[in-house]
Amino acid sequence: QLQASGGGLVQAGGSLRLSCAASGRAATTYAIGWFRQAPGKEREFVAAVTWRSGSRRYADYAKGRFTIDRDNTLSMGYLEMNSLKTEDTGVFYCATGSFDNDFDYRRDYTNSRRYVYWGQGTQVTVSS
């Protein structure tokens, strides 16, 4: 349903572009988001965008460095990450979420439990 790719090893200050291919029901949801999990830490929200309107939301640490986008025709999600820091190291997951409307999405986009389909994760390692 969701296939994430694009992770790898990069030096601090570098960039990576993650991709997420959605298929089946995962491609018919309201929004696509990215979460990450650093070693020994809980999974946390990174960014989300609605499929139709392109309404983007970011975690504070991602603002100005990360850009989320989607391609509706290809059912693809993307996360462009610039100025990477060592603390960005972790497994990045794409997920698609079901929300009732924009109000519901704006209220709850960081809640991982609202995301029904999850990709397998792609490792991002930022070295100093």
Side-chain angles (χ1 to χ4, degrees), residues 1-55:
Q1 302 277 14
L2 289 175
Q3 182 72 35
S5 61
L9 174 64
V10 64
Q11 286 190 328
S15 300
L16 279 176
R17 187 186 193 223
L18 306 183
S19 299
C20 181
S23 62
R25 292 184 178 181
T28 63
T29 51
Y30 198 88
I32 183 167
W34 291 90
F35 290 76
R36 71 180 187 185
Q37 188 165 19
K41 295 187 177 181
E42 293 186 354
R43 190 175 299 185
E44 63 179 353
F45 171 78
V46 179
V49 62
T50 57
W51 285 110
R52 180 174 295 184
S53 67
S55 176

Side-chain angles (χ1 to χ4, degrees), residues 63-80:
K63 291 177 181 177
R65 297 192 299 128
F66 296 179
T67 301
I68 189 170
D69 206 353
R70 87 279 184 237
D71 185 325
N72 291 343
T73 59
L74 297 177
S75 296
M76 292 289 297
Y78 305 99
L79 185 68
E80 181 79 30

